Amino acid sequence: MLGTGLAGAGDNAQAELVLRRAQQRYPRDVWINYMLGAVLAKLSRGDEAIRFYTAARAIRPETAHALAHALENRGDRDEAIAVFRDLNRLRPGNADHLNCLGMALKRKGLSREADETLEAAVAAAREEVRLKPDSASSLFPLAAALRNKGQRDEAIASYKKAIAINPKFAEAHFRLGELLQAVSFDPKNNGQRDEAIAHFKKAIAIDPTFT
């Protein structure tokens, strides 16, 4: 808990020291391995992060989402896709896993499979929103899937709904800012730039790690 708290406060160097001590004492604790991997990733030490993410996955395979991203960031795209596929097998219909698998496939150049996977991500996210219409955490994956499908207007609306439900949802503010900034390059939407900046500022005020 101390290591997680230090990481949340942005003191990743101290968090690493605490979590390494914890991991030495409890090497089979899934969350200690996972959090140590996350802290090392924030410190831009990808190879070490992958080592502890892999340890967490060996204990609990469902925790491998961050491992897949770390592998792709290192350039191991095929391995990352394999991990995302395994996650989708373990948790079929999970919008986050489908969305990230779709984007990994897209970056790999597998356009047809990527489009099918992103369609499945949108469908899964819409079902989650139907079941939990007042949940900001349900609207967020839908917004991400819509954005990745190129349905920007719907994505913007979904991010805004998530923020209306939870105004302190820092990542929703940040992702909405990114999307509004991208849209603002269209001369018809110049006014969106100011709105994008406002959402970036809100994200940073809530969570300074988005600076």
Side-chain angles (χ1 to χ4, degrees):
M1 289 178 66
L2 174 59
T4 301
L6 288 165
D11 192 349
N12 291 305
Q14 191 62 35
E16 180 195 352
L17 293 176
V18 172
L19 289 166
R20 278 194 184 277
R21 265 187 256 128
Q23 199 276 337
Q24 287 167 3
R25 291 187 65 181
Y26 306 103
R28 292 287 300 168
D29 187 289
V30 60
W31 295 116
I32 290 174
N33 281 290
Y34 182 89
M35 280 305 303
L36 182 52
V39 165
L40 290 165
K42 288 180 181 177
L43 291 168
S44 300
R45 287 154 61 187
D47 288 345
E48 290 178 87
I50 286 169
R51 174 188 161 197
F52 290 102
Y53 280 146
T54 301
R57 183 194 187 196
I59 302 163
R60 188 173 299 177
E62 295 88 344
T63 64
H65 194 101
L67 170 62
H69 283 295
L71 287 166
E72 188 172 18
N73 289 339
R74 192 172 70 177
D76 297 329
R77 189 162 288 165
D78 289 339
E79 195 174 346
I81 288 171
V83 173
F84 280 132
R85 289 192 196 281
D86 188 54
L87 284 168
N88 191 43
R89 178 186 61 79
L90 291 168
R91 294 283 178 87
N94 181 289
D96 283 330
H97 298 335
L98 286 165
N99 197 27
C100 292
L101 172 58
M103 291 306 293
L105 291 166
K106 191 172 184 178
R107 287 186 285 268
K108 177 71 175 174
L110 301 171
S111 301
R112 181 174 178 180
E113 188 180 358
D115 286 343
E116 291 172 354
T117 304
L118 290 172
E119 283 286 358
V122 170
R126 288 194 193 281
E127 177 61 14
E128 184 67 20
V129 171
R130 186 187 70 80
L131 294 171
K132 300 177 182 178
D134 298 322
S135 169
S137 60
S138 296
L139 283 156
F140 187 80
L142 174 60
L146 290 166
R147 179 194 65 210
N148 291 334
K149 279 289 292 174
Q151 296 169 234
R152 287 179 169 179
D153 289 344
E154 280 191 80
I156 288 170
S158 294
Y159 280 130
K160 287 184 175 180
K161 284 180 184 176
I163 289 168
I165 293 168
N166 180 8
K168 294 188 179 293
F169 197 158
E171 190 172 2
H173 281 290
F174 187 80
R175 299 304 174 193
L176 176 57
E178 286 184 324
L179 193 49
L180 289 168
Q181 184 180 41
V183 170
S184 73
F185 287 107
D186 184 335
K188 298 176 183 176
N189 298 313
N190 279 336
Q192 306 252 25
R193 196 165 299 161
D194 291 339
E195 189 179 355
I197 291 169
H199 282 289
F200 285 139
K201 287 181 176 178
K202 286 178 182 176
I204 292 167
I206 298 164
D207 183 350
T209 62
F210 282 102
T211 302

